[in-house]
């Protein structure tokens, strides 16, 4: 069937106006933030109900055409890219908050709800949804579940998976599965819900998500350390984590700081520059018992003591401590703005993780490999050190094409992933495998595991219509 006939037939599946085929829509919906593959979808579908999702699956099976589930398209690994004539299924218009249950502390939403809207709905009921990151204002909860998004508070609250109490999905067979239905305890066999968390749209279209909520955290403060040696960061993490309840322990290099400061017109936090910085965010009241004011003073005194001793011991070169909420937000801006500040340089990204205890050796080897592999290119390091998660960004120099640049960076990947192998880490901590990390999956997963993943794919998507080409190739 040619493209025009396919588009015409597709128009019968959804009401008028909800199949888009104009060029601007195809380009916008066929791409995510990675921007390394040219978008070329056949059409964009905007379903508004579970029944319409089923119609699209039936259509795809009948016509043997791929469906690319699409959330906020903030993904960084090409998971939502449609570059081979697929139909993009955008969840944009399936975005209602369906039910907030304050007694069970759960929130049921349609998958297209924007992450920030979910956080606000929880806050409206005096509760808290803790998964937070720089793209929360654009990403959707369905996309967060499909990538098992992590973010800035994993050290305290865990990733998205820990907050999924139930999922409604439409599989590649067109069946609707209502998984776990919000239960806390459910020992009735395989928990299929967890197969769909992190499945990157390859097993089913997530239609609804039931999220667990929690009590809002107490007041927080941040402090920023300037650090001379990368190797000092894990030691600092250990010292702060031992004594305080940490919300986050983030790190970034001076090039990252420079990019944010320039892009946002901010002041530099220290008079001089250091190669590395650690942002420590801690709970002012959760560490100890006692009255609130006393607690705040105590946690603050503990934090100041650790920072002072770290400077005295040469682990840190300098420290600035937020005095109030506004100061804390100011320090966070230096970390949160990094991805956006370097976006115009089209970075090639690696998103690696190891267990926290293996960070010292891992960082040392990785730094050596990166220096040797990219002597001529700008490398920007940052990430969630408290979770053992490093984002390595190589900036594209002017005058080199996206493809040539990607090939150049992929030539270094063998050495990078050899280090990941040695330290039993992951080639994707939180961004997902998508299109661009698929060929490296064997560094994180054994042949037996990949075979099992293919078997699971065959059960839920026997015709291979769901996000073809992403994560794994079919049997
Ligand atoms: C500035 C910036 C900062 C970021 N920081 C972080 C961070 O700290 N931590 C982190 O984890 N990520 C981060 N990301 C990456 C990204 O925001 C997350 O991966 C996010 O979860 C993607 O959600 P999305 O709705 O945009 O999904 P998309 O990009 O649209 O899709 C991602 C994947 O999910 C699939 N998918 C989407 N919706 C559905 C659905 N309803 N059903 C089935 N499959 C679906 C897609 O097919 C694709 O494979 C960041 C991105 C940016 C741009």
């Amino acid at each position: 069937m040619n493209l025009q006939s396919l588009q015409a037939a597709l128009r019968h599946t959804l009401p008028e106006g909800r199949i888009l085929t104009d060029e601007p829509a195809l380009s916008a919906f066929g791409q995510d933030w990675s921007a390394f593959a040219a978008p070329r979808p056949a059409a964009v579908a905007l379903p508004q109900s579970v029944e319409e999702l089923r119609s699209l699956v039936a259509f795809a099976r009948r016509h043997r055409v791929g469906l690319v589930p699409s959330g906020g398209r903030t993904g960084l690994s090409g998971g939502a890219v449609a570059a081979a004539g697929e139909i993009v299924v955008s969840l944009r218009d399936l975005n209602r908050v369906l039910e907030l249950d304050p007694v069970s502390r759960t929130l049921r939403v349609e998958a297209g709800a924007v992450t920030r809207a979910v956080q606000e709905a929880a806050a409206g009921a005096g509760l808290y949804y803790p998964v937070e990151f720089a793209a929360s204002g654009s990403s959707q909860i369905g996309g967060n579940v499909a990538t098992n998004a992590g973010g800035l508070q994993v050290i305290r609250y865990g990733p998205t998976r820990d907050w999924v109490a139930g999922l409604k999905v439409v599989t590649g067979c067109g069946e609707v599965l209502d998984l776990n239905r919000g239960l806390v305890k459910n020992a009735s066999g395989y928990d299929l819900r967890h197969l769909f968390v992190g499945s990157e749209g390859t097993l089913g279209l997530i239609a609804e998500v039931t999220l667990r909520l929690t009590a809002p955290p107490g007041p927080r403060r941040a402090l920023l350390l300037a650090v001379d040696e990368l190797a000092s960061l894990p030691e600092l993490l250990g010292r702060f984590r031992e004594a305080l309840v940490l919300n986050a322990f983030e790190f970034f290099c001076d090039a990252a700081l420079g990019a944010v400061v320039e892009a946002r017109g901010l002041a530099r936090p220290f008079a001089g520059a250091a190669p590395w910085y650690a942002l420590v965010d801690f709970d002012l009241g959760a560490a100890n018992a006692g009255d609130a004011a006393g607690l705040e003073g105590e946690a603050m005194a503990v934090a100041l003591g650790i920072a002072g001793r770290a400077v005295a011991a040469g682990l840190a070169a300098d420290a600035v401590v937020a005095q109030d909420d506004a100061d804390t937000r100011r320090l966070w801006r230096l970390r949160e703005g990094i991805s956006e500040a370097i976006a115009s340089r089209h970075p090639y990204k690696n998103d690696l993780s190891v267990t926290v205890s293996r960070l010292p050796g891992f960082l040392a080897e990785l730094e050596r490999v990166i220096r040797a592999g990219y002597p001529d290119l700008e490398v920007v390091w940052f990430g969630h050190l408290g979770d053992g998660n490093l984002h390595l960004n190589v900036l594209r120099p002017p005058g080199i094409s996206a493809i040539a640049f990607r090939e150049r960076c992929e030539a270094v990947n063998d050495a990078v992933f050899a280090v990941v192998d040695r330290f039993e880490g992951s080639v994707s901590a939180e961004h997902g495998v998508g299109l661009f990390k698929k060929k490296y999956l064997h560094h994180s997963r054994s042949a037996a595991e990949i075979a099992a993943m293919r078997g699971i794919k065959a059960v839920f998507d026997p015709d291979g219509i769901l996000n073809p080409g992403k994560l794994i190739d079919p049997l």
Side-chain angles (χ1 to χ4, degrees), residues 33 69 71-75 79 133 140 144 146-147 149-151 200-201 206 430 467:
W33 249 64
R73 303 191 308 281
T74 65
F133 48 98
Q140 297 175 4
N144 298 167
T147 54
E200 301 188 32
I206 299 165
E430 59 179 11
N467 223 359

Side-chain angles (χ1 to χ4, degrees), residues 32-33 68-76 78-81 91 111-112 115 132-136 138-152 199-202 204-207 335-336 339-340 384 389 391 430-432 434 467 470:
D32 68 4
W33 249 64
V68 176
S70 174
R73 303 191 308 281
T74 65
L76 299 169
V81 168
L91 277 287
T115 315
E132 163 64 13
F133 48 98
S136 304
S138 313
S139 75
Q140 297 175 4
I141 207 70
N144 298 167
V145 173
T147 54
N148 187 23
L152 301 165
S199 63
E200 301 188 32
T202 61
L205 300 164
I206 299 165
R335 165 63 187 91
E336 283 176 328
S339 288
E340 282 191 67
H384 318 291
N389 178 188
H391 298 313
E430 59 179 11
H431 292 165
N467 223 359
K470 316 291 169 49

